[in-house]
Amino acid sequence: MASNDPKQGGGSGGFFSSIASTFSSFTKSVNGLVGYEGLEVVNPEGGTEDAEEEAKRGRWKQEDQDSYWKMMQKYVGSDITSMVTLPVIIFEPMSMLQKMAEIMEYSHLLDLADKCEDPYMRLVYSSSWAISIYYALQRTWKPFNPILGETYEMVNHGGVAFLAEQVSHHPPIGAAHAENDHFTYDLTSKVRTKFLGNSVEIYPLGRTRVTLKRDGVVLDLVPPPTKVSNLIFGRTWIDSPGEMIMTNLTTGDKVVLYFQPCGWFGAGRYEVDGYVYNAAEEPKILITGKWNESLHYQNCDTEGEPLPGTELKEVWRVADAPKNDKFQYTHFAHKINSFETAPKGLLASDSRLRPDRYALEKGDLSKAGSEKSRLEEQQRVEKRKREANGDKFTPKWFEVTGEIHPTPWGDLEVCEYNGKYNEHRAAIDSSSSSKEIDVSSMEFNPWQYEPETSN
């Protein structure tokens, strides 16, 4: 279990101090490299003595490291969420909206939570679903920032209909809604970052709500922050040390799970453990495992000790993934990225249609870079037109509610699904048209105005 006793049901001030101490204990400045003093290089599988050797590894050539550091060093200490143009070489062929959909891979766990009558096992299933996304989130490639008005839709997985839309560009905010017979899922996603030179800390200012349909139970999720280490020097890796809290807003029961920080030679990496508590903050079920492998649970007494005669039972295990995949994709990531799984009547604003994403998928970095620049310039043209016309961007599928949701890292204005996509999808699905459309030939069009054409 975590070094700060999880039986206390929360409170992580000392925990984050221990994280900082752990990180500092096996990091080292890139000494001997003129101009890089103070940068930390962390080898999660090694100690402090090989930091300089680790700095020479990674995806960047030496000359690329030099130029990238010269470009980025002025941003140290800043929030770089939307202020930095990054080279396409560090991207994966997927937008952030598509990556948001990966939370649905293990949606069957929410189905089980809805069917379950035991209120504490409901939280075991639900929190395991929330943990399951971290295997996909460990990928070190960056997804494309969505264009304002961009969407992503998925209708072919476990009866789930999923829709995401980019509702704000500055700051970047995405909204998502998913639904099947057992649950609804609503997300307003925003992050705050802190660039530290060779690493970046990411703080989730989002709001996640899940409603289990059978009894109307509403669950609220607060995930831990994430740290991406070795952005420029060394092999990039990702960790999310801290606590995840899922609260049943209907009953007051909750789960508090601790993501252990990575220590020397990988000690503690991937480990997560904690408890399901009742409304009186008494532990009822312990949960333990690794977020890149599996999770187990066991009933416990009010002291958090396993009940006699009980044993650990598996609740979730990560699915097999492709071997040596270029972008570390899961089978599910490939599925949701494919034109073959695109729904009938795909929205022209869908992420699959982005020409930069598609070019990168085909291995054409030059075209991916030029198309990325073209889309970003068109987005700036859109902004200038809106300002000249006195227009305000209005999302199609979500509405800004004015409700302010507090998070541990700042406040968030909540977006709410407006239900119009259900009507759109029903009309498409009931259409008698048999016309086949080659989705891959569709033109990406998230624009509020018609794009300008050159003569």
Side-chain angles (χ1 to χ4, degrees):
M1 288 299 170
S3 57
N4 62 318
D5 191 353
K7 300 171 192 176
Q8 300 303 314
S12 58
F15 184 59
F16 282 110
S17 296
S18 68
I19 291 173
S21 175
T22 302
F23 272 123
S24 65
S25 65
F26 70 111
T27 60
K28 183 178 180 181
S29 297
V30 189
N31 297 321
L33 299 179
V34 177
Y36 305 125
E37 292 82 0
L39 283 183
E40 289 184 335
V41 177
V42 183
N43 179 358
E45 294 141 3
T48 60
E49 69 284 348
D50 64 347
E52 291 182 23
E53 189 64 30
E54 175 66 29
K56 302 174 185 177
R57 302 167 182 159
R59 66 183 64 152
W60 300 95
K61 298 177 182 178
Q62 182 63 55
E63 58 269 26
D64 294 330
Q65 290 179 339
D66 294 341
S67 61
Y68 194 43
W69 170 239
K70 288 176 182 177
M71 179 182 73
M72 295 295 294
Q73 59 183 333
K74 62 184 177 182
Y75 297 112
V76 172
S78 300
D79 184 344
I80 58 170
T81 306
S82 57
M83 67 167 59
V84 181
T85 299
L86 299 172
V88 75
I89 190 174
I90 69 170
F91 283 73
E92 62 179 354
M94 179 181 287
S95 88
M96 181 57 75
L97 298 183
Q98 291 171 278
K99 196 155 187 171
M100 285 163 59
E102 291 191 74
I103 188 68
M104 289 295 128
E105 177 171 5
Y106 300 95
S107 59
H108 71 278
L109 291 167
L110 291 181
D111 296 347
L112 292 173
D114 183 54
K115 297 174 185 177
C116 183
E117 295 186 3
D118 184 324
Y120 308 124
M121 278 305 300
R122 278 180 179 171
L123 285 174
V124 171
Y125 289 125
S126 300
S127 59
S128 298
W129 162 79
I131 293 289
S132 69
I133 185 60
Y134 282 84
Y135 181 80
L137 293 183
Q138 71 177 319
R139 294 200 301 267
T140 58
W141 302 93
K142 184 188 182 306
F144 286 93
N145 289 338
I147 298 295
L148 186 62
E150 183 177 330
T151 59
Y152 177 76
E153 51 182 325
M154 178 188 75
V155 297
N156 55 359
H157 175 71
V160 176
F162 175 96
L163 176 71
E165 181 178 16
Q166 190 72 1
V167 299
S168 173
H169 179 54
H170 288 298
I173 299 175
H177 173 83
E179 187 169 357
N180 70 359
D181 292 339
H182 292 285
F183 68 87
T184 60
Y185 162 85
D186 290 283
L187 169 70
T188 303
S189 178
K190 177 183 177 183
V191 298
R192 181 169 61 83
T193 63
K194 185 175 183 180
F195 179 59
L196 301 175
N198 200 36
S199 63
V200 62
E201 295 174 347
I202 304 171
Y203 303 94
L205 276 72
R207 191 189 79 162
T208 301
R209 291 284 168 83
V210 174
T211 301
L212 303 178
K213 289 187 172 181
R214 190 183 70 164
D215 295 333
V217 166
V218 179
L219 306 175
D220 176 80
L221 176 67
V222 179
T226 291
K227 183 172 184 177
V228 184
S229 296
N230 297 359
L231 288 173
I232 305 173
F233 303 95
R235 294 165 294 181
T236 306
W237 62 284
I238 297 174
D239 201 17
S240 296
E243 65 180 13
M244 170 183 285
I245 301 176
M246 176 174 275
T247 304
N248 183 331
L249 299 180
T250 306
T251 65
D253 304 331
K254 66 179 178 181
V255 181
V256 180
L257 296 174
Y258 294 92
F259 287 63
Q260 306 298 335
C262 179
W264 279 12
F265 300 99
R269 191 177 182 189
Y270 310 117
E271 292 181 9
V272 58
D273 53 29
Y275 292 93
V276 176
Y277 299 90
N278 63 17
E281 298 199 354
E282 299 169 328
K284 304 297 292 185
I285 301 177
L286 67 86
I287 300 175
T288 187
K290 292 187 175 183
W291 51 259
N292 69 331
E293 291 181 6
S294 62
L295 290 173
H296 295 75
Y297 70 95
Q298 187 172 7
N299 290 332
C300 64
D301 60 24
T302 56
E303 298 300 317
E305 299 300 324
L307 289 176
T310 64
E311 59 183 18
L312 283 171
K313 296 181 180 180
E314 184 175 281
V315 63
W316 166 79
R317 178 169 293 275
V318 69
D320 290 337
K323 303 296 184 184
N324 302 316
D325 191 83
K326 179 178 180 180
F327 292 104
Q328 304 166 296
Y329 275 11
T330 63
H331 290 294
F332 185 73
H334 280 291
K335 173 184 175 181
I336 66 174
N337 209 27
S338 172
F339 286 121
E340 295 180 2
T341 60
K344 178 182 177 182
L346 183 70
L347 296 170
S349 51
D350 193 89
S351 300
R352 296 176 184 86
L353 303 175
R354 288 183 60 139
D356 51 357
R357 185 212 67 79
Y358 189 59
L360 182 60
E361 186 175 68
K362 296 301 182 183
D364 191 340
L365 268 67
S366 177
K367 184 175 181 180
S370 62
E371 290 290 353
K372 176 175 176 288
S373 296
R374 184 179 65 83
L375 292 178
E376 290 169 347
E377 175 56 30
Q378 180 59 40
Q379 185 167 228
R380 288 188 284 269
V381 170
E382 286 268 304
K383 181 181 179 181
R384 290 194 293 268
K385 286 183 178 179
R386 270 195 301 275
E387 291 175 346
N389 295 338
D391 293 339
K392 183 179 180 181
F393 176 78
T394 303
K396 290 184 178 180
W397 313 109
F398 295 84
E399 297 177 356
V400 179
T401 65
E403 176 187 351
I404 303 300
H405 175 71
T407 79
W409 305 283
D411 292 341
L412 172 76
E413 190 169 16
V414 175
C415 293
E416 187 175 75
Y417 176 61
N418 62 20
K420 293 180 180 179
Y421 178 77
N422 288 36
E423 301 169 10
H424 165 81
R425 179 50 51 195
I428 292 292
D429 292 342
S430 64
S431 172
S432 59
S433 173
S434 59
K435 183 179 179 181
E436 292 287 338
I437 298 176
D438 180 5
V439 175
S440 64
S441 67
M442 291 177 61
E443 183 177 354
F444 177 62
N445 185 7
W447 314 115
Q448 179 179 350
Y449 307 100
E450 287 297 319
E452 296 177 348
T453 57
S454 57
N455 296 325

